[in-house]
Amino acid sequence: MAESRIIHGFHAVTARIRQNADSVLEVYVDPQRKDPRARDLLKLAEANGVRIIQVDGKRLDGMAGSPRHQGVAARVNAAQKVQHLDDVLDTLTEPALLLVLDGVQDPHNLGACLRSADAFGVHAVIAPKDRAVGINATVEKVACGAAQTVPYITVTNLARTLRELQERDIWVIGMDGEAETNLYDVRHSGAAAWVLGAEGEGLRRLTRETCDQLVRIPMHGSVESLNVSVSTGVCLYEARRQRIVKQ
């Protein structure tokens, strides 16, 4: 029997059915949910031949690991489609735009980063296999479907992967609060990989040393730094803006 896992929340379950219905084994719905949102989800599941099981909210709490499931969960095939970085890069018809996350461990942050990556047209998100959260139910819920649309590629050696990107003429830009260069002074609309570090710790030393350029987000208020997911949104917005301006 294929290995499975539970995802929960309307966004995560709906997105999984729409994008990869064959991977959805069962949908679980609290019978107390009789609102239009629940009815639309049930119609979508039925139209795609997905088995629907009614379970009470208490059981859903246990399945989801929290009461924040919105009355819906699904059991999905846990097997992820294996994607190699070369498979992504070799099929691009525009300069690569990549997001590299150096050890993000909070699933809410990773989910938000994936959502921003989808919004700004990132071709792939790269992260180390170790010391990183990986894709789980919380990530999928926060990502609102982006966990299915943006390739998430894990690598054994992040610094080596960055060097391989450089060999492909992809400019590696690391975000560092102590960097001298201001984000808005960067002029780069070609192939680029934006590298952000873990919560609190920032980039690891070897990752920082491997980057072609280090930049910082200028801060004008009293706080010294931004959450990694917020920083990701700022950087990717600027990267996409410069590409549009160049056109």
Side-chain angles (χ1 to χ4, degrees):
M1 184 175 179
E3 183 181 355
S4 63
R5 61 189 175 89
I6 296 294
I7 63 174
H8 57 83
F10 278 100
H11 277 303
V13 175
T14 300
R16 175 58 77 99
I17 296 174
R18 286 176 175 166
Q19 295 157 11
N20 190 4
D22 290 342
S23 71
V24 183
L25 307 177
E26 297 170 337
V27 168
Y28 306 98
V29 181
D30 186 340
Q32 299 300 315
R33 291 294 306 247
K34 300 181 182 297
D35 52 283
R37 200 177 188 188
R39 290 198 296 270
D40 288 344
L41 175 61
L42 292 176
K43 289 179 181 178
L44 180 65
E46 290 173 352
N48 284 274
V50 179
R51 183 185 182 197
I52 301 169
I53 300 176
Q54 293 190 343
V55 298
D56 59 37
K58 189 171 183 180
R59 185 182 173 194
L60 279 171
D61 290 350
M63 295 172 68
S66 82
R68 302 178 64 183
H69 45 70
Q70 302 176 309
V72 60
R75 185 175 300 280
V76 301
N77 191 327
Q80 295 284 332
K81 181 180 179 181
V82 177
Q83 288 190 290
H84 300 286
L85 188 54
D86 287 342
D87 295 335
V88 174
L89 297 177
D90 290 343
T91 60
L92 296 182
T93 57
E94 65 174 338
L97 178 58
L98 306 173
L99 173 63
V100 182
L101 300 174
D102 186 15
V104 171
Q105 299 185 26
D106 186 317
H108 292 87
N109 279 337
L110 177 57
C113 287
L114 288 170
R115 193 170 181 178
S116 291
D118 177 87
F120 297 115
V122 167
H123 299 116
V125 176
I126 304 167
K129 289 182 178 178
D130 299 325
R131 298 182 59 198
V133 62
I135 304 295
N136 60 26
T138 300
V139 172
E140 291 213 25
K141 184 174 186 296
V142 175
C144 296
Q148 299 300 314
T149 60
V150 181
Y152 182 76
I153 299 170
T154 57
V155 297
T156 303
N157 188 314
L158 189 59
R160 182 172 62 204
T161 298
L162 295 180
R163 289 191 291 269
E164 291 171 353
L165 294 178
Q166 291 165 332
E167 291 173 359
R168 282 178 167 263
D169 294 325
I170 297 174
W171 192 249
V172 178
I173 306 170
M175 300 306 301
D176 189 326
E178 303 300 319
E180 295 182 2
T181 304
N182 184 314
L183 169 65
Y184 307 120
D185 291 332
V186 175
R187 295 292 180 267
H188 190 81
S189 56
W194 291 79
V195 190
L196 288 92
E199 304 89 347
E201 300 177 7
L203 300 177
R204 288 178 292 175
R205 179 187 59 81
L206 187 56
T207 302
R208 184 184 299 108
E209 293 175 353
T210 307
C211 293
D212 293 305
Q213 183 178 18
L214 295 176
V215 301
R216 61 178 172 80
I217 297 174
M219 305 297 293
H220 300 286
S222 59
V223 298
E224 296 182 354
S225 62
L226 296 172
N227 176 282
V228 62
S229 61
V230 176
S231 296
T232 294
V234 172
C235 295
L236 295 181
Y237 171 83
E238 178 62 14
R240 182 54 66 181
R241 185 193 68 81
Q242 291 198 21
R243 292 184 176 209
I244 294 173
V245 169
K246 183 180 179 181
Q247 295 174 355

